[in-house]
């Protein structure tokens, strides 16, 4: 079992897609182990996207992600990191496959509504960054009907 960090970005919140996005992860069979909404600080946003700090779009990305509320989530399940990335779709909404979140709702690169960790190390780092208080440990009774 893995846990991944997923975040509805300010454009997803502004567009009223919080419920739609959470619903897709819930219906898939992932288990919610962290959920909150915050307006990210510049420091948190900068560490989150530190890997992109030399890219030309970085200043705009930091301004965008700190511009309003985001929804921070932690989802747990088998191969949760890859499963979440599959649900999310390709970075550019115009190229993302239909049926994915970005493919169904996005038309651009910067405004792509959602973030998902891309590997085990980044998931661990991002979960610690956004959920320093820790995650919820609970038994979900449907699990035995999700995994055979
Ligand atoms: P990902 O979110 O699919 O993992 P990354 O390449 O890691 O995509 O980029 C992180 C985020 O930076 C993207 O989700 C997007 O919001 C933003 N971004 C990436 N490339 C561009 C660009 O060329 N222009 C504007 N924003 C970009
Ligand atoms: Mg990425």
């Amino acid at each position: 079992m893995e846990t991944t960090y997923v975040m509805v970005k300010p454009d997803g919140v502004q567009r009223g897609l919080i419920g739609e996005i959470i619903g897709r992860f819930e219906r898939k069979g992932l288990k919610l182990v962290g959920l909150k909404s915050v307006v990210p600080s510049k420091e948190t946003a900068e560490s989150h996207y530190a890997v992109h700090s030399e890219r030309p779009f970085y200043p705009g990305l930091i301004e965008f992600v700190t511009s309003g509320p985001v929804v921070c989530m932690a989802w747990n399940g088998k191969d949760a990191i890859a499963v979440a990335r599959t649900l999310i779709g390709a970075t550019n909404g115009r190229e993302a496959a239909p049926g994915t979140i970005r493919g169904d709702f996005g038309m651009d690169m910067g405004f792509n509504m959602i973030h998902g960790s891309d590997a085990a190390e980044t998931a661990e780092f991002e979960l610690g960054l956004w959920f320093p208080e820790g995650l919820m440990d609970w038994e979900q009774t449907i699990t035995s009907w999700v995994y055979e």
Side-chain angles (χ1 to χ4, degrees):
M1 291 288 176
E2 271 177 358
T3 303
T4 189
Y5 177 67
V6 174
M7 177 169 74
V8 182
K9 299 190 207 176
D11 56 330
V13 174
Q14 290 286 354
R15 290 181 53 193
L17 292 170
I18 299 170
E20 171 69 40
I21 289 172
I22 293 181
R24 288 181 177 220
F25 285 83
E26 263 193 313
R27 296 197 301 266
K28 178 67 176 165
L30 289 158
K31 180 169 87 168
L32 186 66
V33 293
L35 177 68
K36 67 181 177 189
S37 188
V38 298
V39 178
S41 68
K42 195 158 186 277
E43 295 67 45
T44 304
E46 284 176 346
S47 341
H48 177 81
Y49 283 122
V51 66
H52 297 301
S53 62
E54 302 305 318
R55 308 281 289 276
F57 60 81
Y58 181 75
L61 179 59
I62 299 304
E63 194 182 336
F64 159 61
V65 87
T66 56
S67 67
V70 299
V71 178
C72 310
M73 292 171 273
W75 290 99
N76 174 271
K78 234 177 229 183
D79 299 327
I81 296 165
V83 168
R85 296 277 294 188
T86 302
L87 292 180
I88 289 168
T91 307
N92 185 336
R94 294 195 299 280
E95 287 157 17
T100 65
I101 292 164
R102 289 167 174 171
D104 287 351
F105 303 113
M107 280 296 281
D108 217 332
M109 189 80 148
F111 289 168
N112 61 12
M113 297 159 293
I114 180 163
H115 165 85
S117 307
D118 61 10
E121 309 76 59
T122 45
E124 193 185 342
F125 170 74
E126 292 167 2
L127 290 166
L129 178 67
W130 294 94
F131 289 103
E133 68 276 26
L135 301 173
M136 300 182 286
D137 184 15
W138 62 293
E139 289 298 320
Q140 191 175 28
T141 56
I142 62 158
T143 301
S144 58
W145 293 102
V146 174
Y147 300 103
E148 57 184 7

